[in-house]
Amino acid sequence: MFVCLLIYGVVMAKTKIKEPKIQITWKEVRRQKVLLIWSAAIVLYGVIFCYLPLAGWAMAFENFRPKDGIFHSPFVGMAKFQQLFSDATFIRVIRNTLAMGVINLAVTFIMAIVFAILLNEITSKGAKKTVQTISYLPHFLSWIIVTGILHDALSGTGIINEMLMRFGMIQQPVDFFAHPGYFWPIVAFANVWKETGWNAIIYLAAITAIDPSLYEAAAIDGAGRWARIKYVTLPGIRATIMILLLMSVGNVLNAGFEIQYLLGNGLVQGVSQTIDIYVLKWGISQGDYALGTAAGIFKSLVSIILIVIANQIAKRNGEERLF
Amino acid sequence: MEMSIQMKKKRKKRSAADMTFIICNTIFMALFVIITLYPVINTLAISLNDGTDALRGGIYLWPRRWTFKNYTTVLQKDNLVTGAIVTVARTVIGTLTCLAANAILAFIVSRKRFMFKRQLSLFWVITMYVNGGLIPVFLLFKGLHLTNSFWVYIVPGMLNAFNMLVIRTYMEGIPDSLEESAQLDGAGYTEIFLKIISPLCKPVYATVALFVAVGQWNSWFDAMLYNRMSDNLTTLQYELMKLLSSVTNQGTSVEAMKNASGAVTPTSVRAAATILTMLPIICIYPFLQKYFVTGLTLGGVKE
């Protein structure tokens, strides 16, 4: 809860100056009656579905038993957190989450920018439109479908093994899902496949906003395509790149649940399990609500710290801020 | 004279570099398109091919032995049909309620004179960064009797800060004079929302509806977590996931061959189910492109 207050304070402090305070008078209340009634309903909804679960964080400090509820379970302080951090599995799970989060962020981020810039260089309007339409497609497919596709492509008789064998790079089909070494690259590739076109949308919009006369001037000065990308396009979308990068940093720990859950198996679980999967496994399947909640709190706190740090960096560099 | 030759040489050299660029770029884009489309076309080919025959491999873009048996098998599976009905229901109801709720909230917080404008906005923006997490939410839904219920697909996701911000940004772009003149004519906030603001917001409503509908259509985790015990509340994606795990467990082994009834195998049935699941999305999304492009650009402008 203190974190909410912290964010609340920061945002309020920043925004309060901008607008004059609206006077609350009976006349206004009567005039805004409809708005106030709806707001009350919305706040009630928000309190139940968004803020009440935060009260459940108390479970992490208790030896929580469902039949005793939050108020009557014995308080144990930080014991659950100690248990969490003495668990070698949890440490490995943090490593997996961070590693996959960072790898995915890096490759999807770079690919989206490269794709947007190269797509922008296509002169034929029809071709550009067609490629862009096709590039969105995977974003709309569920992870269930994407993992199904991956299984087909990487299976013993799949296209990848087939091609590797045809080019003589391997003698026997490789079982990609049985080797821990392949797991992170497969996840990264799947993310690139699914999201490159989608993530490029915002960069393409930013490129469209660049003043065309800059390109003309560059062309007159003798700039080739590479030079124009380097000196006009990239500086033109720099602000967009920075703000999206900052937004993704806060999401690094969110980068892994569905695909890891769907693709993971006993052979690769040492590298595939993420914090979310750990919470699901211990919290729901094993019924240790307290431990699951503690792991969830850890994840939330790290995420918020990352967001605050990213925001501070942005502020220092004079870039746009998130809040 | 000499200079002009030099310049010509230079230009030629430059256009040669540009040519290389264009060629490389075309190859890159062609590869990109192939890698994006191949898996989908391959799944389509497998779904239209005889199941036992497909186990031999070697089916790429075109079926070897045509059959519609995979599709008829899918349509005869009760759980997949139930899943489809539930999925359609949650997509339609979920999208409509979510759109209405977010539109109302966005309308309220975009009124310039509303007294709790900032506070209410902030109340939702905070939920984007802080949430209770899986376990507390799970216990809350259990306590609210939302588990083993259809409404767990609808109610919890009804309001969402991101969608609200997208609509709010759009509404803030509508001139205040419209609202003021309507108020002079005696219109209350309800009329202003329904008759003046909403008709102008059609594009952004379409955007948000698309985002929500795709999310509803593709979700499976809520079905697994909250409604695992209720077979009549299963969703299409969750059934697809079960098919996937049955395929991976059996693999393309001899056992799978034996288990395969007639000409269909788990793999071929899954391919058919996959195609049927993605079909509605593939048919719709190209026509809604302009909407999600606007939506993403609006969403980029936060708080």
Side-chain angles (χ1 to χ4, degrees):
Chain A
M1 286 304 275
F2 79 94
V3 182
C4 315
L5 291 173
L6 190 85
I7 295 181
Y8 185 88
V10 170
V11 180
M12 284 315 269
K14 270 174 194 155
T15 51
K16 222 169 198 173
I17 325 142
K18 279 183 207 156
E19 269 185 40
K21 218 177 171 194
I22 302 155
Q23 287 289 320
I24 301 178
T25 58
W26 274 116
K27 204 181 144 208
E28 276 300 300
V29 171
R30 257 203 308 279
R31 227 174 58 83
Q32 301 183 359
K33 201 175 71 188
V34 193
L35 301 185
L36 289 169
I37 293 169
W38 278 105
S39 308
I42 285 167
V43 168
L44 182 69
Y45 173 93
V47 166
I48 295 175
F49 285 99
C50 302
Y51 288 87
L52 205 55
L54 290 176
W57 281 13
M59 282 187 291
F61 306 96
E62 291 172 342
N63 198 359
F64 182 74
R65 284 188 300 252
K67 67 173 166 49
D68 293 336
I70 290 181
F71 298 107
H72 301 288
S73 297
F75 182 79
V76 292
M78 301 301 280
K80 284 288 168 188
F81 287 91
Q82 276 164 5
Q83 185 189 341
L84 203 58
F85 287 102
S86 54
D87 182 3
T89 317
F90 188 67
I91 305 299
R92 207 164 51 223
V93 159
I94 297 176
R95 179 204 65 182
N96 295 343
T97 314
L98 270 177
M100 277 187 274
V102 171
I103 295 171
N104 292 347
L105 172 65
V107 291
T108 52
F109 205 77
I110 293 167
M111 269 308 284
I113 298 170
V114 168
F115 178 71
I117 290 174
L118 291 182
L119 188 66
N120 187 56
E121 294 295 324
I122 294 183
T123 32
S124 149
K125 271 215 164 114
K128 197 169 161 183
K129 190 98 196 140
T130 314
V131 174
Q132 204 179 359
T133 308
I134 292 170
S135 77
Y136 300 147
L137 170 70
H139 172 78
F140 291 104
L141 305 179
S142 67
W143 276 116
I144 308 271
I145 291 178
V146 175
T147 46
I149 283 169
L150 277 173
H151 268 287
D152 286 345
L154 295 171
S155 72
T157 52
I159 181 89
I160 303 291
N161 270 315
E162 192 96 354
M163 277 186 19
L164 289 176
M165 292 207 335
R166 192 160 296 173
F167 292 126
M169 288 163 89
I170 49 170
Q171 302 305 315
Q172 287 289 314
V174 179
D175 189 354
F176 287 100
F177 295 107
H179 292 289
Y182 292 122
F183 194 81
W184 292 353
I186 290 174
V187 170
F189 175 77
N191 272 295
V192 168
W193 187 79
K194 197 170 185 296
E195 304 297 347
T196 296
W198 184 257
N199 293 344
I201 291 180
I202 214 142
Y203 297 114
L204 281 164
I207 293 174
T208 330
I210 297 173
D211 186 355
S213 64
L214 288 176
Y215 286 104
E216 282 155 29
I220 291 167
D221 285 351
R225 277 170 182 262
W226 280 118
R228 267 180 279 164
I229 289 174
K230 200 170 155 196
Y231 297 111
V232 183
T233 313
L234 271 175
I237 60 173
R238 205 183 96 93
T240 313
I241 293 177
M242 282 308 287
I243 191 127
L244 287 182
L245 186 63
L246 289 173
M247 282 167 72
S248 346
V249 166
N251 264 328
V252 156
L253 294 188
N254 282 328
F257 173 69
E258 287 194 49
I259 182 171
Q260 288 86 350
Y261 182 80
L262 293 166
L263 278 186
N265 58 57
L267 293 169
V268 294
Q269 66 177 355
V271 294
S272 75
Q273 285 195 340
T274 60
I275 298 180
D276 290 329
I277 294 176
Y278 185 89
V279 171
L280 186 72
K281 196 175 148 200
W282 284 97
I284 306 285
S285 311
Q286 308 284 328
D288 192 340
Y289 294 134
L291 194 67
T293 309
I297 292 176
F298 170 74
K299 191 189 140 193
S300 291
L301 287 183
V302 175
S303 290
I304 289 167
I305 292 168
L306 285 176
I307 291 171
V308 172
I309 293 174
N311 211 42
Q312 286 302 316
I313 295 172
K315 205 162 91 181
R316 195 156 302 158
N317 296 333
E319 301 283 349
E320 268 188 272
R321 269 166 292 135
L322 295 175
F323 54 75
Chain B
M1 192 62 198
E2 211 180 319
M3 234 172 86
S4 83
I5 289 171
Q6 246 181 5
M7 266 178 76
K8 249 186 195 164
K9 246 186 185 168
K10 213 175 172 185
R11 184 170 299 161
K12 210 172 174 186
K13 205 173 160 192
R14 191 193 313 144
S15 64
D18 275 2
M19 270 318 279
T20 335
F21 180 89
I22 292 170
I23 291 168
C24 290
N25 198 11
T26 315
I27 293 171
F28 174 82
M29 287 300 161
L31 268 176
F32 185 90
V33 169
I34 291 170
I35 292 172
T36 308
L37 285 185
Y38 172 78
V40 179
I41 297 172
N42 181 244
T43 311
L44 184 64
I46 290 174
S47 76
L48 287 167
N49 194 77
D50 185 280
T52 7
D53 177 62
L55 289 179
R56 279 170 39 215
I59 292 172
Y60 303 112
L61 299 171
W62 203 249
R64 192 162 43 213
R65 278 174 59 186
W66 281 80
T67 175
F68 285 105
K69 201 130 187 250
N70 299 317
Y71 285 93
T72 50
T73 315
V74 168
L75 295 174
Q76 277 161 7
K77 278 187 185 261
D78 284 341
N79 54 346
L80 283 168
V81 176
T82 317
I85 295 169
V86 174
T87 304
V88 170
R90 68 177 287 178
T91 304
V92 173
I93 301 172
T95 307
L96 290 177
T97 52
C98 182
L99 185 61
N102 282 300
I104 292 172
L105 174 57
F107 174 77
I108 296 175
V109 295
S110 61
R111 293 312 92 198
K112 283 243 157 56
R113 294 185 62 178
F114 180 55
M115 45 184 79
F116 300 121
K117 188 174 140 88
R118 295 229 151 262
Q119 291 83 344
L120 191 59
S121 258
L122 197 60
F123 180 80
W124 281 103
V125 171
I126 287 173
T127 65
M128 286 198 341
Y129 298 105
V130 201
N131 61 67
L134 187 74
I135 308 290
V137 169
F138 179 79
L139 292 176
L140 174 74
F141 289 1
K142 240 179 154 174
L144 292 172
H145 298 287
L146 276 170
T147 46
N148 295 317
S149 146
F150 175 74
W151 298 106
V152 76
Y153 301 141
I154 310 291
V155 179
M158 217 154 71
L159 277 168
N160 159 298
F162 179 79
N163 292 336
M164 181 274 276
L165 286 177
V166 171
I167 304 179
R168 191 190 74 177
T169 312
Y170 195 88
M171 283 180 173
E172 277 169 350
I174 297 173
D176 296 328
S177 53
L178 282 174
E179 182 187 332
E180 282 156 19
S181 64
Q183 271 174 337
L184 285 177
D185 291 342
Y189 279 112
T190 317
E191 280 96 54
I192 294 173
F193 173 63
L194 291 175
K195 298 208 178 112
I196 296 173
I197 304 293
S198 285
L200 291 171
C201 286
K202 272 182 197 154
V204 76
Y205 286 178
T207 308
V208 170
L210 175 79
F211 288 161
V212 178
V214 171
Q216 286 280 11
W217 186 264
N218 281 342
S219 66
W220 55 275
F221 185 62
D222 44 13
M224 183 180 93
L225 193 60
Y226 305 119
N227 289 339
R228 181 198 282 273
M229 304 298 174
S230 316
D231 285 339
N232 57 338
L233 292 172
T234 183
T235 67
L236 209 46
Q237 301 287 348
Y238 184 41
E239 288 305 319
L240 207 55
M241 180 205 150
K242 287 189 204 158
L243 274 177
L244 173 70
S245 39
S246 75
V247 173
T248 30
N249 289 344
Q250 292 182 325
T252 49
S253 60
V254 190
E255 195 190 342
M257 291 265 233
K258 271 187 210 152
N259 284 346
S261 49
V264 298
T265 60
T267 315
S268 63
V269 170
R270 185 176 59 80
T274 304
I275 292 296
L276 287 176
T277 310
M278 59 166 114
L279 205 59
I281 292 178
I282 294 183
C283 293
I284 293 169
Y285 92 90
F287 302 101
L288 295 171
Q289 261 187 67
K290 64 169 183 235
Y291 292 124
F292 54 75
V293 174
T294 355
L296 273 187
T297 350
L298 283 176
V301 195
K302 276 193 190 170
E303 185 45 275

